Amino acid sequence: METATTRPAARRPHILLLTTADSSYPGADTVGQMHLGYPTCTSIVRIPDPVMLPERFYLYALRRGFDGVLVMSSGAESPFQGTYEKLAARLDGLTGTLKAQGIDYRRVKLCSICTVCTAAFLREVKRMSEVLAEIGPIDPDTVTVPD
């Protein structure tokens, strides 16, 4: 008979969160300081702005074992003029690349999170975790990263 102690635990999706140093990272930090819960299989990386990452970075993250990447941007309030539009265009291009490789485009998502958006932060991480659980783990061998 299978019990809770003998049954294998459901695999939790591993999510890479890219946060902006001036906006979404302080929001993530606030969530941590308030001891609010979100999936433990989440890695947070603070960068000046996600626009600095090329398309191949996202493919590389999926190839290295992340099930999804959640890009938390400052949105139109970015201190770097025009970066949000460039980032959105880059991720639109990435959508086509993912589809061409047979990878569900929902594995990479862009959202706007500010310094005090704790509820939005938690909601976006939860939604991403739910979507990734629904579509299942990624086979890293199916991801091609261009040179």
Side-chain angles (χ1 to χ4, degrees), residues 16-62:
L16 176 61
L17 294 180
L18 299 176
T19 61
T20 55
D22 293 334
S23 181
S24 56
Y25 183 79
D29 192 40
T30 300
V31 167
Q33 290 178 10
M34 294 174 70
H35 302 284
L36 302 174
Y38 58 92
T40 55
C41 293
T42 303
S43 298
I44 300 176
V45 177
R46 179 178 63 176
I47 55 178
D49 197 288
V51 75
M52 64 189 285
L53 300 173
E55 183 177 299
R56 72 183 308 275
F57 173 86
Y58 301 95
L59 296 168
Y60 185 76
L62 296 173

Side-chain angles (χ1 to χ4, degrees), residues 4 10 20 25 28-29 35 59 67 78 83 88 103 105 108 112 122 127:
T20 55
Y25 183 79
D29 192 40
H35 302 284
L59 296 168
D67 294 301
S78 172
T83 58
I103 300 168
Y105 70 91
V108 179
S112 295
L122 292 168
R127 283 182 186 165

Side-chain angles (χ1 to χ4, degrees), residues 3-21:
T3 66
T5 56
T6 61
R7 184 176 345 144
R11 182 186 177 281
R12 294 181 137 185
H14 196 181
I15 304 169
L16 176 61
L17 294 180
L18 299 176
T19 61
T20 55

Side-chain angles (χ1 to χ4, degrees), residues 94-96 98-99 102-109 128 135:
L94 177 62
T95 297
L98 292 172
K99 287 180 180 179
I103 300 168
D104 194 312
Y105 70 91
R106 295 177 295 169
R107 291 191 182 278
V108 179
K109 182 180 180 188
M128 184 63 147
I135 61 180

